[in-house]
């Protein structure tokens, strides 16, 4: 994990000085300060980032080129990305924010602050980051269709596609932090969204925000999973969960490496993801064991794709398989 990202997916709109200025005003009114040392990034000039430049210059350039501007909020640095026009093959624009993941991981400061002090600091950072996101949400008009927040979003293989978001087909994707705009609220119903069994649900201006789990967490088995399955059950979404491992969560000294988190994945994406990480793990940890845990329904026929995954993991990837019946 490198960053925690929040992205608001929006229908394309012109990038102009008014939009950029409104976003900058929203975060500075909250208490953010332009980080002149870091400066800004222009999408049309790969020599950046351009540190030591004025905020006025940053607004002018990003208003023309799209890009990102760096800020400090109570000594926590973050980047405000402003790309209302689709990038490359995208169909949607986005407004986003990201911070270094160490701001949300207590293990980095426990030696200095102690366990409680480190967790308290990360909780404050998380709340500050959410406040920034809410300030950005409030100033955007029309509201985003959808928003998501999690670690390293750009590397996820199963986040909703632009086409799915435009068609309001965002289920059963649930991230650590989720934002639903007016169209999704109309689809699912506020009376269904507000009482969902999430870690936290909050009504925003023409939107709803909910957490799958608290943002700061320690790496390890089930880290950040939260109430994923309970939320899916609440909405009646039919999903199958397969435990997979996350390469970034293991220590180099470990020689037996297991499963770290659960996500919904279609079978082709899952195979691609697993093969990539198995190959990386085997290359990095000579002689390490790879095993995959499959959750199977109790008292019901095992779905075909579960049988196929078990065969593929064992026969083609040479990994060990452990079954959990639920």
């Amino acid at each position: 994990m490198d960053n925690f990202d929040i992205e608001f997916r929006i229908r394309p709109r012109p990038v102009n000085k008014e939009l950029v200025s409104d976003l900058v005003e929203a975060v500075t009114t909250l208490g953010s300060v332009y980080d002149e040392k870091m400066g800004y990034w222009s999408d049309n000039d790969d020599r950046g980032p351009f540190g030591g430049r004025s905020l006025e210059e940053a607004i002018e350039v990003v208003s023309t080129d799209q890009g990102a501007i760096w800020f400090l909020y109570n000594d926590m640095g973050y980047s405000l990305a402003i790309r209302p026009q689709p990038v490359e093959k995208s169909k949607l624009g986005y407004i986003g924010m990201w911070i270094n993941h160490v701001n949300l991981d207590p293990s980095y400061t426990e030696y200095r602050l102690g366990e409680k002090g480190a967790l308290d600091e990360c909780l404050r950072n998380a709340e500050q980051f959410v406040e920034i996101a809410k300030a950005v949400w409030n100033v955007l008009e029309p509201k985003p269709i959808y928003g998501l927040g999690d670690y390293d979003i750009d590397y996820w293989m199963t986040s909703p596609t632009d086409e799915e978001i435009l068609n309001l087909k965002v289920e059963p994707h649930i991230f650590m932090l989720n934002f639903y705009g007016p169209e999704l609220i109309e689809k699912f119903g506020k009376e269904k969204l507000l009482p969902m069994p999430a870690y936290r649900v909050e009504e925003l201006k023409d939107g709803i925000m909910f957490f799958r789990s608290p943002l700061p967490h320690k790496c390890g088995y089930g880290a950040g999973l939260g109430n994923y399955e309970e939320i899916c059950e609440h909405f009646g979404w039919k999903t199958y969960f397969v435990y997979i491992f996350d390469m970034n969560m293991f220590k180099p000294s470990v020689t037996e490496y297991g499963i770290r988190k659960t996500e919904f994945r279609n079978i082709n994406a899952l195979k691609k993801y697993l093969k990539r990480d198995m190959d990386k793990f085997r290359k990095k940890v000579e002689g390490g064991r790879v095993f995959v845990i499959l959750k199977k329904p109790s008292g019901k026929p095992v779905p075909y794709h579960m049988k196929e995954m078990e065969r593929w993991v064992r026969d083609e990837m040479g990994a060990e398989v452990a079954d959990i019946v639920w």
Side-chain angles (χ1 to χ4, degrees):
M1 294 181 294
D2 294 320
N3 302 315
F4 190 94
D5 310 288
I6 297 176
E7 291 185 1
F8 295 138
R9 305 289 173 81
I10 60 176
R11 286 186 169 83
R13 64 187 72 172
V15 57
N16 54 47
K17 191 171 182 179
E18 181 181 4
L19 172 62
V20 177
S21 298
D22 286 347
L23 290 166
V24 169
E25 182 180 2
V27 298
T28 53
T29 299
L30 185 67
S32 297
V33 177
Y34 173 59
D35 187 349
E36 187 172 329
K37 182 178 179 180
M38 290 296 295
Y40 66 89
W41 177 270
S42 163
D43 284 2
N44 289 343
D45 191 339
D46 59 9
R47 294 175 300 171
F50 297 94
R53 311 293 182 89
S54 68
L55 177 58
E56 290 73 20
E57 179 180 325
I59 293 172
E60 287 288 345
V61 173
V62 174
S63 296
T64 303
D65 297 354
Q66 302 199 128
I69 305 175
W70 271 262
F71 291 91
L72 292 169
Y73 185 43
N74 295 335
D75 296 324
M76 181 184 73
Y78 69 93
S79 173
L80 176 63
I82 304 171
R83 296 183 174 94
Q85 283 292 308
V87 178
E88 296 178 345
K89 297 181 180 180
S90 301
K91 295 183 178 181
L92 295 172
Y94 78 90
I95 307 297
M97 299 128 274
W98 63 262
I99 57 173
N100 192 303
H101 77 101
V102 300
N103 289 286
L104 302 180
D105 188 344
S107 66
Y108 283 86
T109 52
E110 277 186 359
Y111 74 95
R112 178 169 54 88
L113 301 175
E115 185 174 351
K116 184 179 185 304
L119 180 59
D120 287 345
E121 181 178 74
C122 288
L123 287 169
R124 284 193 298 271
N125 289 340
E127 196 57 41
Q128 289 177 168
F129 197 40
V130 170
E131 290 301 316
I132 294 164
K134 288 161 61 176
V136 169
W137 176 278
N138 287 338
V139 81
L140 289 174
E141 295 293 347
K143 293 300 179 203
I145 305 171
Y146 176 69
L148 63 160
D150 217 309
Y151 293 95
D152 300 328
I153 287 173
D154 289 342
Y155 297 104
W156 284 64
M157 295 183 179
T158 56
S159 57
T161 65
D162 287 357
E163 192 70 38
E164 288 172 330
I165 294 171
L166 284 166
N167 290 317
L168 307 181
K169 299 290 187 181
V170 300
E171 69 275 14
H173 303 285
I174 303 175
F175 297 88
M176 293 190 75
L177 184 57
N178 308 266
F179 295 82
Y180 284 5
E183 294 162 281
L184 286 170
I185 292 175
E186 183 178 357
K187 173 183 176 177
F188 294 113
K190 188 180 292 187
E191 69 284 352
K192 191 74 172 179
L193 289 166
L194 290 176
M196 78 173 81
Y199 171 75
R200 171 177 163 188
V201 183
E202 185 174 335
E203 192 167 1
L204 306 176
K205 179 183 178 183
D206 297 324
I208 286 178
M209 172 185 73
F210 65 95
F211 292 68
R212 187 184 69 201
S213 58
L215 303 192
H217 67 273
K218 289 190 175 183
C219 297
Y221 184 82
L225 177 58
N227 298 330
Y228 195 125
E229 296 185 48
E230 290 86 348
I231 294 171
C232 287
E233 184 177 350
H234 173 77
F235 285 105
W237 298 340
K238 302 299 182 183
T239 60
Y240 295 98
F241 293 87
V242 180
Y243 280 86
I244 61 175
F245 56 78
D246 182 341
M247 274 295 297
N248 295 310
M249 290 184 179
F250 86 99
K251 307 297 182 184
S253 60
V254 174
T255 58
E256 181 170 309
Y257 183 63
I259 312 308
R260 298 303 184 191
K261 66 180 183 179
T262 299
E263 301 296 349
F264 172 85
R265 299 181 184 278
N266 66 56
I267 192 167
N268 291 327
L270 179 58
K271 285 181 178 179
K272 183 177 179 181
Y273 188 100
L274 281 172
K275 184 179 187 308
R276 183 196 68 182
D277 280 5
M278 286 181 189
D279 291 344
K280 285 170 63 178
F281 174 72
R282 284 170 169 152
K283 184 177 180 180
K284 194 165 187 176
V285 184
E286 186 176 354
R289 290 175 60 200
V290 177
F291 59 94
V292 176
I293 297 176
L294 301 178
K295 296 179 69 176
K296 294 184 176 180
S298 176
K300 302 176 184 177
V302 177
Y304 168 79
H305 76 273
M306 294 290 287
K307 294 180 181 178
E308 166 58 17
M309 279 303 303
E310 183 170 358
R311 183 204 64 77
W312 179 82
V313 167
R314 181 180 289 117
D315 297 343
E316 295 189 28
M317 295 306 300
E320 299 177 46
V321 179
D323 295 335
I324 295 180
V325 176
W326 53 275

